[in-house]
Structure formats: structure tokens, C-alpha cells
Amino acid sequence: MSRTASDGSRTPLSGRIRTPADGVHHLAARNAEVLGALPVAAADRAAAAGLPPWRAAEHLASRTLLRFLLRETGADAGDGPVGALPGGRPYLPGRSGPGVSLSHSPGWVAAAVGLGRDVGVDVQVPAAVGDRLLRLCCAPGDADVLAALPEAARRSGFARVFAVQEACVKAVGKGLSGRPWTVPVPLGARTGTWNGVHWSAPYDDHDGDDHGDAVPVACAWTVPAAPVPERVRRPAGP
């Protein structure tokens, strides 16, 4: 596996890749770190042309991070395009292999790769959250706990919950239409399942932001269907 940056030196990004399950990998980093350490594919530059500067930075950083993660996990996409399905879900045109997912939050991007399965990833920079959203996304008791916390802790706690909810609906190919707020995520939980989707939300994998808050990242994945044993396979047709 490649462990080098664009100038041939080792990059610390390699050591921050998380593998919560066999064949499932995810990674998050600041936009500036990604674009400063890794080469940007010509296809991505072309796709970002004409976008507002802030959106172009997100686009380039997320896809550059995804390409790096694919190389590191043995599923190199080369310089081929990274497409998007009508609902926004990313995919690799012309390839039936890994499932991929992207996320961005102010100044940060995340990518996930699932070998032989679908994945979802979400990064959430903590931000102010109103009482209505807090109670929509959290169980009543958890909402009460978060509401009573100091501002920084409330922001971080909610961001962890919502990152898991977003990752789960992304893993099944949906966004807000998947009603992420209905995914139950207990406060403090680091792993769980929802409708057959498994999720992981480590607490210790990222530096804080400029205010010292943690930057939560969650990854969710589907379980591949078990192969049908040879002895029970039947030919197609009547």
C-alpha cells in the first residue's frame, strides 16, 4: 500500500485510517491538510472548475481524500472520475467494486470505502443547536441531558449523535429522505446497529477545532449477503 505524499514523503494521514470492520475503512482530515499533502486528480480539478471557492475546496479535498483512501486500502481508482447518483451518493463509474461515501463540514472532509458492501460516513463540526432540533434527533431523556450541559459539551454531544444518524442513512443510499433523526443513537455509544446497518463512532481519532471541541466522525456499513453454497444453487429458468 502507498504510504507517501505527493513529494514522496510519508504522510500522517495513513496512520489515521480507521477500520471498524473487515473491509470497511474511513478517514477524516482538514481540507487544508488534504490539499497540502496529496496530489489532486485532473478529473477533480475539471469537475470543480466554476464552483465558488469554498465549494471547490470541499469538492477537491473530499475526492482527493477518497482517492488516497482507495489507494491505501488496495482499491486504487487511479485518475478515473468520481460520479454522483441522482440523490447525491458518490460512486466510481465503470466499477462494481467498493462502496464509497463522502462528507464535509466547515473546514473538514471525510471519506469511507467499503470493500464488497455499502458505506456511509459523516463528519460534523460542532455548532449551535436549537432545542427543537435537539429534541427531534435525540431520545427525550438524552435531549434533557444535552440541554443541561454547558454550550461546548452540548454542541459536541449533539454532533456525535447526528454524525451517526447521517452515516446510517447514507449507508442505505439516502440523505434527509431517509429521516436520519429517526435513527436511535444513545448518548455515549461508540457502536451500534440500525435496520441491519452497523455503525461506529470513535471518540479519540481527531484533533480539536480552534475552540478545543472534538470533531465527531461516524461510519456505517451494510453486511454483505452471504454467498449461496454451491450445493443449493439452482440454474435459472423454469
Tab-separated table of all heavy atoms in Angstrom, residues 160-215:
chain	number	residue	atom	x	y	z
A	160	ARG	N	-22.075	14.352	17.711
A	160	ARG	CA	-21.784	12.924	17.674
A	160	ARG	C	-23.036	12.123	17.316
A	160	ARG	O	-22.978	11.175	16.533
A	160	ARG	CB	-21.231	12.468	19.024
A	160	ARG	CG	-19.859	13.025	19.325
A	160	ARG	CD	-19.257	12.440	20.581
A	160	ARG	NE	-17.993	13.099	20.886
A	160	ARG	CZ	-16.856	12.874	20.270
A	160	ARG	NH1	-16.822	11.978	19.281
A	160	ARG	NH2	-15.753	13.515	20.595
A	161	VAL	N	-24.149	12.491	17.898
A	161	VAL	CA	-25.402	11.800	17.594
A	161	VAL	C	-25.766	11.980	16.122
A	161	VAL	O	-26.078	11.010	15.409
A	161	VAL	CB	-26.541	12.321	18.491
A	161	VAL	CG1	-27.899	11.809	17.998
A	161	VAL	CG2	-26.317	11.907	19.944
A	162	PHE	N	-25.722	13.217	15.646
A	162	PHE	CA	-26.174	13.476	14.279
A	162	PHE	C	-25.219	12.889	13.245
A	162	PHE	O	-25.649	12.479	12.162
A	162	PHE	CB	-26.358	14.971	14.051
A	162	PHE	CG	-27.222	15.273	12.860
A	162	PHE	CD1	-28.550	14.880	12.844
A	162	PHE	CD2	-26.716	15.921	11.738
A	162	PHE	CE1	-29.364	15.131	11.745
A	162	PHE	CE2	-27.515	16.181	10.646
A	162	PHE	CZ	-28.847	15.783	10.640
A	163	ALA	N	-23.910	12.819	13.559
A	163	ALA	CA	-22.963	12.198	12.633
A	163	ALA	C	-23.322	10.730	12.413
A	163	ALA	O	-23.292	10.228	11.282
A	163	ALA	CB	-21.540	12.321	13.162
A	164	VAL	N	-23.682	10.029	13.476
A	164	VAL	CA	-24.094	8.627	13.345
A	164	VAL	C	-25.371	8.519	12.524
A	164	VAL	O	-25.489	7.669	11.622
A	164	VAL	CB	-24.297	7.985	14.730
A	164	VAL	CG1	-24.916	6.595	14.587
A	164	VAL	CG2	-22.980	7.902	15.489
A	165	GLN	N	-26.338	9.368	12.810
A	165	GLN	CA	-27.604	9.314	12.086
A	165	GLN	C	-27.411	9.548	10.591
A	165	GLN	O	-27.977	8.832	9.751
A	165	GLN	CB	-28.571	10.340	12.680
A	165	GLN	CG	-28.996	10.002	14.103
A	165	GLN	CD	-29.826	11.081	14.746
A	165	GLN	OE1	-29.653	12.275	14.466
A	165	GLN	NE2	-30.743	10.679	15.624
A	166	GLU	N	-26.589	10.526	10.255
A	166	GLU	CA	-26.321	10.808	8.845
A	166	GLU	C	-25.573	9.655	8.181
A	166	GLU	O	-25.877	9.280	7.044
A	166	GLU	CB	-25.503	12.097	8.731
A	166	GLU	CG	-26.315	13.359	8.918
A	166	GLU	CD	-27.027	13.743	7.634
A	166	GLU	OE1	-26.370	14.214	6.693
A	166	GLU	OE2	-28.253	13.545	7.574
A	167	ALA	N	-24.584	9.097	8.873
A	167	ALA	CA	-23.818	7.996	8.294
A	167	ALA	C	-24.718	6.800	8.010
A	167	ALA	O	-24.580	6.129	6.979
A	167	ALA	CB	-22.685	7.600	9.237
A	168	CYS	N	-25.642	6.527	8.906
A	168	CYS	CA	-26.530	5.372	8.729
A	168	CYS	C	-27.418	5.516	7.497
A	168	CYS	O	-27.553	4.566	6.704
A	168	CYS	CB	-27.381	5.170	9.979
A	168	CYS	SG	-26.502	4.447	11.383
A	169	VAL	N	-28.031	6.666	7.317
A	169	VAL	CA	-28.913	6.803	6.155
A	169	VAL	C	-28.108	6.860	4.861
A	169	VAL	O	-28.578	6.425	3.806
A	169	VAL	CB	-29.854	8.023	6.291
A	169	VAL	CG1	-30.805	7.843	7.460
A	169	VAL	CG2	-29.089	9.335	6.406
A	170	LYS	N	-26.879	7.372	4.921
A	170	LYS	CA	-26.024	7.348	3.735
A	170	LYS	C	-25.678	5.917	3.341
A	170	LYS	O	-25.576	5.587	2.157
A	170	LYS	CB	-24.736	8.135	3.983
A	170	LYS	CG	-24.902	9.642	4.016
A	170	LYS	CD	-23.549	10.305	4.238
A	170	LYS	CE	-23.647	11.819	4.248
A	170	LYS	NZ	-22.313	12.439	4.435
A	171	ALA	N	-25.487	5.053	4.331
A	171	ALA	CA	-25.121	3.668	4.047
A	171	ALA	C	-26.211	2.930	3.278
A	171	ALA	O	-25.923	1.963	2.567
A	171	ALA	CB	-24.806	2.923	5.345
A	172	VAL	N	-27.452	3.372	3.409
A	172	VAL	CA	-28.539	2.749	2.664
A	172	VAL	C	-28.935	3.591	1.451
A	172	VAL	O	-29.995	3.387	0.862
A	172	VAL	CB	-29.767	2.484	3.569
A	172	VAL	CG1	-29.409	1.479	4.644
A	172	VAL	CG2	-30.300	3.762	4.193
A	173	GLY	N	-28.080	4.532	1.087
A	173	GLY	CA	-28.280	5.293	-0.140
A	173	GLY	C	-29.250	6.436	-0.049
A	173	GLY	O	-29.798	6.875	-1.059
A	174	LYS	N	-29.462	6.960	1.157
A	174	LYS	CA	-30.401	8.068	1.328
A	174	LYS	C	-29.741	9.216	2.083
A	174	LYS	O	-28.709	9.042	2.723
A	174	LYS	CB	-31.649	7.601	2.084
A	174	LYS	CG	-32.426	6.511	1.358
A	174	LYS	CD	-33.640	6.070	2.157
A	174	LYS	CE	-34.405	4.979	1.436
A	174	LYS	NZ	-35.591	4.521	2.203
A	175	GLY	N	-30.356	10.374	1.989
A	175	GLY	CA	-29.919	11.530	2.744
A	175	GLY	C	-31.015	11.916	3.713
A	175	GLY	O	-31.491	11.088	4.492
A	176	LEU	N	-31.460	13.159	3.633
A	176	LEU	CA	-32.546	13.592	4.514
A	176	LEU	C	-33.834	12.819	4.254
A	176	LEU	O	-34.664	12.666	5.154
A	176	LEU	CB	-32.793	15.091	4.339
A	176	LEU	CG	-31.699	16.015	4.897
A	176	LEU	CD1	-32.044	17.465	4.611
A	176	LEU	CD2	-31.504	15.790	6.396
A	177	SER	N	-33.982	12.291	3.015
A	177	SER	CA	-35.175	11.499	2.730
A	177	SER	C	-35.220	10.220	3.559
A	177	SER	O	-36.272	9.603	3.726
A	177	SER	CB	-35.231	11.136	1.243
A	177	SER	OG	-34.159	10.273	0.883
A	178	GLY	N	-34.061	9.826	4.093
A	178	GLY	CA	-34.007	8.657	4.956
A	178	GLY	C	-34.366	8.953	6.394
A	178	GLY	O	-34.293	8.058	7.235
A	179	ARG	N	-34.768	10.204	6.691
A	179	ARG	CA	-35.180	10.628	8.024
A	179	ARG	C	-34.131	10.251	9.081
A	179	ARG	O	-34.382	9.461	9.991
A	179	ARG	CB	-36.535	10.009	8.380
A	179	ARG	CG	-37.651	10.456	7.464
A	179	ARG	CD	-38.909	9.615	7.624
A	179	ARG	NE	-39.388	9.587	9.003
A	179	ARG	CZ	-40.175	10.497	9.556
A	179	ARG	NH1	-40.570	11.541	8.825
A	179	ARG	NH2	-40.578	10.374	10.804
A	180	PRO	N	-32.925	10.831	8.962
A	180	PRO	CA	-31.852	10.453	9.886
A	180	PRO	C	-32.204	10.667	11.347
A	180	PRO	O	-31.706	9.947	12.223
A	180	PRO	CB	-30.686	11.353	9.447
A	180	PRO	CG	-31.308	12.465	8.679
A	180	PRO	CD	-32.485	11.861	7.994
A	181	TRP	N	-33.060	11.632	11.621
A	181	TRP	CA	-33.417	11.916	13.015
A	181	TRP	C	-34.168	10.769	13.682
A	181	TRP	O	-34.313	10.749	14.891
A	181	TRP	CB	-34.248	13.194	13.079
A	181	TRP	CG	-35.442	13.189	12.173
A	181	TRP	CD1	-36.696	12.719	12.447
A	181	TRP	CD2	-35.489	13.665	10.820
A	181	TRP	NE1	-37.524	12.866	11.370
A	181	TRP	CE2	-36.809	13.446	10.348
A	181	TRP	CE3	-34.554	14.261	9.968
A	181	TRP	CZ2	-37.210	13.802	9.062
A	181	TRP	CZ3	-34.940	14.609	8.686
A	181	TRP	CH2	-36.256	14.380	8.240
A	182	THR	N	-34.630	9.793	12.900
A	182	THR	CA	-35.337	8.646	13.473
A	182	THR	C	-34.384	7.511	13.868
A	182	THR	O	-34.830	6.525	14.457
A	182	THR	CB	-36.380	8.101	12.488
A	182	THR	OG1	-35.710	7.581	11.328
A	182	THR	CG2	-37.361	9.180	12.065
A	183	VAL	N	-33.098	7.631	13.521
A	183	VAL	CA	-32.122	6.600	13.885
A	183	VAL	C	-31.788	6.750	15.373
A	183	VAL	O	-31.275	7.789	15.786
A	183	VAL	CB	-30.842	6.719	13.042
A	183	VAL	CG1	-29.825	5.665	13.467
A	183	VAL	CG2	-31.161	6.595	11.553
A	184	PRO	N	-32.060	5.758	16.196
A	184	PRO	CA	-31.782	5.889	17.635
A	184	PRO	C	-30.288	5.776	17.925
A	184	PRO	O	-29.648	4.798	17.550
A	184	PRO	CB	-32.554	4.722	18.255
A	184	PRO	CG	-32.636	3.704	17.162
A	184	PRO	CD	-32.712	4.474	15.872
A	185	VAL	N	-29.737	6.798	18.580
A	185	VAL	CA	-28.311	6.818	18.922
A	185	VAL	C	-28.174	7.213	20.389
A	185	VAL	O	-28.304	8.394	20.730
A	185	VAL	CB	-27.527	7.813	18.032
A	185	VAL	CG1	-26.040	7.758	18.382
A	185	VAL	CG2	-27.742	7.510	16.552
A	186	PRO	N	-27.939	6.267	21.287
A	186	PRO	CA	-27.802	6.604	22.702
A	186	PRO	C	-26.577	7.481	22.950
A	186	PRO	O	-25.521	7.293	22.318
A	186	PRO	CB	-27.641	5.232	23.380
A	186	PRO	CG	-28.148	4.237	22.383
A	186	PRO	CD	-27.853	4.818	21.039
A	187	LEU	N	-26.693	8.427	23.855
A	187	LEU	CA	-25.553	9.268	24.204
A	187	LEU	C	-24.396	8.403	24.706
A	187	LEU	O	-24.587	7.491	25.504
A	187	LEU	CB	-25.941	10.264	25.295
A	187	LEU	CG	-26.791	11.466	24.883
A	187	LEU	CD1	-27.022	12.374	26.085
A	187	LEU	CD2	-26.126	12.248	23.749
A	188	GLY	N	-23.206	8.708	24.224
A	188	GLY	CA	-22.018	7.998	24.687
A	188	GLY	C	-21.738	6.695	23.986
A	188	GLY	O	-20.666	6.114	24.170
A	189	ALA	N	-22.665	6.205	23.161
A	189	ALA	CA	-22.441	4.935	22.465
A	189	ALA	C	-21.377	5.102	21.383
A	189	ALA	O	-21.344	6.116	20.683
A	189	ALA	CB	-23.732	4.425	21.851
A	190	ARG	N	-20.520	4.120	21.246
A	190	ARG	CA	-19.478	4.159	20.219
A	190	ARG	C	-19.761	3.213	19.064
A	190	ARG	O	-19.172	3.346	18.000
A	190	ARG	CB	-18.121	3.825	20.832
A	190	ARG	CG	-17.718	4.791	21.931
A	190	ARG	CD	-16.280	4.623	22.314
A	190	ARG	NE	-15.905	5.501	23.415
A	190	ARG	CZ	-14.662	5.761	23.782
A	190	ARG	NH1	-13.668	5.210	23.115
A	190	ARG	NH2	-14.405	6.564	24.789
A	191	THR	N	-20.629	2.238	19.276
A	191	THR	CA	-21.025	1.308	18.221
A	191	THR	C	-22.500	0.999	18.368
A	191	THR	O	-23.093	1.204	19.436
A	191	THR	CB	-20.233	-0.018	18.296
A	191	THR	OG1	-20.494	-0.645	19.552
A	191	THR	CG2	-18.737	0.215	18.142
A	192	GLY	N	-23.086	0.500	17.300
A	192	GLY	CA	-24.492	0.131	17.355
A	192	GLY	C	-24.968	-0.402	16.023
A	192	GLY	O	-24.193	-0.532	15.061
A	193	THR	N	-26.250	-0.722	15.954
A	193	THR	CA	-26.866	-1.189	14.718
A	193	THR	C	-28.204	-0.489	14.536
A	193	THR	O	-28.842	-0.058	15.506
A	193	THR	CB	-27.099	-2.712	14.720
A	193	THR	OG1	-27.941	-3.059	15.829
A	193	THR	CG2	-25.787	-3.470	14.821
A	194	TRP	N	-28.607	-0.406	13.272
A	194	TRP	CA	-29.905	0.188	12.932
A	194	TRP	C	-30.371	-0.438	11.628
A	194	TRP	O	-29.703	-0.349	10.606
A	194	TRP	CB	-29.775	1.706	12.765
A	194	TRP	CG	-30.956	2.347	12.116
A	194	TRP	CD1	-32.174	2.616	12.667
A	194	TRP	CD2	-31.020	2.808	10.743
A	194	TRP	NE1	-33.005	3.207	11.747
A	194	TRP	CE2	-32.325	3.337	10.557
A	194	TRP	CE3	-30.121	2.817	9.686
A	194	TRP	CZ2	-32.735	3.876	9.336
A	194	TRP	CZ3	-30.532	3.350	8.464
A	194	TRP	CH2	-31.828	3.873	8.310
A	195	ASN	N	-31.509	-1.110	11.676
A	195	ASN	CA	-32.084	-1.725	10.472
A	195	ASN	C	-31.061	-2.545	9.687
A	195	ASN	O	-31.004	-2.480	8.450
A	195	ASN	CB	-32.685	-0.643	9.571
A	195	ASN	CG	-33.984	-0.090	10.108
A	195	ASN	OD1	-34.476	-0.518	11.160
A	195	ASN	ND2	-34.555	0.870	9.414
A	196	GLY	N	-30.249	-3.307	10.393
A	196	GLY	CA	-29.258	-4.139	9.732
A	196	GLY	C	-27.975	-3.433	9.367
A	196	GLY	O	-27.043	-4.065	8.841
A	197	VAL	N	-27.904	-2.137	9.618
A	197	VAL	CA	-26.694	-1.354	9.356
A	197	VAL	C	-25.885	-1.265	10.651
A	197	VAL	O	-26.435	-0.977	11.718
A	197	VAL	CB	-27.054	0.061	8.859
A	197	VAL	CG1	-25.810	0.942	8.759
A	197	VAL	CG2	-27.763	-0.017	7.512
A	198	HIS	N	-24.593	-1.489	10.559
A	198	HIS	CA	-23.703	-1.354	11.710
A	198	HIS	C	-23.029	0.016	11.669
A	198	HIS	O	-22.737	0.536	10.589
A	198	HIS	CB	-22.637	-2.451	11.692
A	198	HIS	CG	-23.189	-3.828	11.855
A	198	HIS	ND1	-23.092	-4.550	13.027
A	198	HIS	CD2	-23.868	-4.622	10.994
A	198	HIS	CE1	-23.672	-5.711	12.887
A	198	HIS	NE2	-24.160	-5.787	11.651
A	199	TRP	N	-22.759	0.592	12.832
A	199	TRP	CA	-22.093	1.889	12.847
A	199	TRP	C	-21.043	1.963	13.950
A	199	TRP	O	-21.091	1.228	14.938
A	199	TRP	CB	-23.085	3.039	12.973
A	199	TRP	CG	-23.975	3.054	14.193
A	199	TRP	CD1	-25.255	2.599	14.283
A	199	TRP	CD2	-23.657	3.564	15.496
A	199	TRP	NE1	-25.765	2.793	15.547
A	199	TRP	CE2	-24.798	3.386	16.317
A	199	TRP	CE3	-22.527	4.167	16.056
A	199	TRP	CZ2	-24.838	3.778	17.655
A	199	TRP	CZ3	-22.555	4.555	17.397
A	199	TRP	CH2	-23.694	4.373	18.171
A	200	SER	N	-20.081	2.846	13.733
A	200	SER	CA	-19.003	3.075	14.685
A	200	SER	C	-18.740	4.572	14.757
A	200	SER	O	-18.715	5.254	13.730
A	200	SER	CB	-17.730	2.346	14.238
A	200	SER	OG	-16.623	2.705	15.030
A	201	ALA	N	-18.534	5.074	15.977
A	201	ALA	CA	-18.257	6.496	16.176
A	201	ALA	C	-17.179	6.635	17.243
A	201	ALA	O	-17.469	6.878	18.410
A	201	ALA	CB	-19.522	7.242	16.591
A	202	PRO	N	-15.904	6.459	16.869
A	202	PRO	CA	-14.818	6.552	17.848
A	202	PRO	C	-14.715	7.951	18.431
A	202	PRO	O	-15.064	8.936	17.794
A	202	PRO	CB	-13.572	6.197	17.029
A	202	PRO	CG	-13.953	6.508	15.620
A	202	PRO	CD	-15.413	6.208	15.505
A	203	TYR	N	-14.229	8.031	19.652
A	203	TYR	CA	-14.148	9.310	20.349
A	203	TYR	C	-12.772	9.951	20.281
A	203	TYR	O	-12.618	11.111	20.646
A	203	TYR	CB	-14.499	9.114	21.830
A	203	TYR	CG	-15.955	9.334	22.127
A	203	TYR	CD1	-16.922	8.546	21.522
A	203	TYR	CD2	-16.360	10.323	23.000
A	203	TYR	CE1	-18.263	8.742	21.795
A	203	TYR	CE2	-17.700	10.524	23.275
A	203	TYR	CZ	-18.648	9.715	22.667
A	203	TYR	OH	-19.974	9.911	22.938
A	204	ASP	N	-11.767	9.209	19.847
A	204	ASP	CA	-10.400	9.702	20.052
A	204	ASP	C	-9.572	9.813	18.782
A	204	ASP	O	-8.357	9.738	18.823
A	204	ASP	CB	-9.670	8.780	21.026
A	204	ASP	CG	-9.620	7.336	20.531
A	204	ASP	OD1	-10.266	7.039	19.521
A	204	ASP	OD2	-8.929	6.530	21.172
A	205	ASP	N	-10.212	10.001	17.632
A	205	ASP	CA	-9.434	9.918	16.403
A	205	ASP	C	-9.153	11.254	15.728
A	205	ASP	O	-8.588	11.272	14.646
A	205	ASP	CB	-10.133	8.997	15.401
A	205	ASP	CG	-11.544	9.422	15.092
A	205	ASP	OD1	-12.083	10.240	15.830
A	205	ASP	OD2	-12.104	8.936	14.101
A	206	HIS	N	-9.505	12.379	16.346
A	206	HIS	CA	-9.298	13.649	15.658
A	206	HIS	C	-8.861	14.734	16.615
A	206	HIS	O	-9.218	14.743	17.790
A	206	HIS	CB	-10.577	14.091	14.930
A	206	HIS	CG	-11.008	13.099	13.912
A	206	HIS	ND1	-10.315	12.857	12.762
A	206	HIS	CD2	-12.037	12.228	13.909
A	206	HIS	CE1	-10.912	11.905	12.078
A	206	HIS	NE2	-11.952	11.502	12.751
A	207	ASP	N	-8.086	15.666	16.077
A	207	ASP	CA	-7.716	16.850	16.846
A	207	ASP	C	-8.945	17.712	17.046
A	207	ASP	O	-9.925	17.627	16.313
A	207	ASP	CB	-6.678	17.677	16.076
A	207	ASP	CG	-5.377	16.934	15.913
A	207	ASP	OD1	-5.061	16.119	16.808
A	207	ASP	OD2	-4.692	17.152	14.905
A	208	GLY	N	-8.889	18.575	18.018
A	208	GLY	CA	-9.986	19.511	18.231
A	208	GLY	C	-9.967	20.629	17.213
A	208	GLY	O	-9.001	20.836	16.488
A	209	ASP	N	-11.059	21.381	17.156
A	209	ASP	CA	-11.071	22.544	16.289
A	209	ASP	C	-10.430	23.711	17.033
A	209	ASP	O	-9.833	23.551	18.095
A	209	ASP	CB	-12.498	22.876	15.832
A	209	ASP	CG	-13.411	23.273	16.982
A	209	ASP	OD1	-12.920	23.576	18.081
A	209	ASP	OD2	-14.625	23.277	16.767
A	210	ASP	N	-10.546	24.892	16.490
A	210	ASP	CA	-9.862	26.040	17.078
A	210	ASP	C	-10.363	26.367	18.474
A	210	ASP	O	-9.722	27.109	19.212
A	210	ASP	CB	-10.031	27.261	16.164
A	210	ASP	CG	-9.292	27.080	14.839
A	210	ASP	OD1	-8.376	26.244	14.785
A	210	ASP	OD2	-9.654	27.776	13.883
A	211	HIS	N	-11.519	25.853	18.847
A	211	HIS	CA	-12.079	26.120	20.172
A	211	HIS	C	-11.900	24.932	21.113
A	211	HIS	O	-12.410	24.943	22.226
A	211	HIS	CB	-13.566	26.461	20.051
A	211	HIS	CG	-13.815	27.630	19.148
A	211	HIS	ND1	-13.498	28.918	19.489
A	211	HIS	CD2	-14.325	27.694	17.897
A	211	HIS	CE1	-13.828	29.742	18.498
A	211	HIS	NE2	-14.323	29.013	17.524
A	212	GLY	N	-11.189	23.903	20.666
A	212	GLY	CA	-10.925	22.769	21.527
A	212	GLY	C	-11.993	21.697	21.512
A	212	GLY	O	-11.889	20.715	22.234
A	213	ASP	N	-13.027	21.845	20.705
A	213	ASP	CA	-14.076	20.839	20.639
A	213	ASP	C	-13.633	19.667	19.774
A	213	ASP	O	-12.888	19.826	18.823
A	213	ASP	CB	-15.361	21.429	20.047
A	213	ASP	CG	-15.968	22.485	20.944
A	213	ASP	OD1	-15.801	22.395	22.168
A	213	ASP	OD2	-16.592	23.407	20.399
A	214	ALA	N	-14.111	18.479	20.096
A	214	ALA	CA	-13.835	17.321	19.256
A	214	ALA	C	-14.612	17.455	17.953
A	214	ALA	O	-15.651	18.107	17.899
A	214	ALA	CB	-14.243	16.053	19.982
A	215	VAL	N	-14.093	16.847	16.886
A	215	VAL	CA	-14.780	16.849	15.593
A	215	VAL	C	-15.280	15.431	15.350
A	215	VAL	O	-14.515	14.556	14.930
A	215	VAL	CB	-13.844	17.315	14.465
A	215	VAL	CG1	-14.570	17.297	13.125
A	215	VAL	CG2	-13.311	18.709	14.759
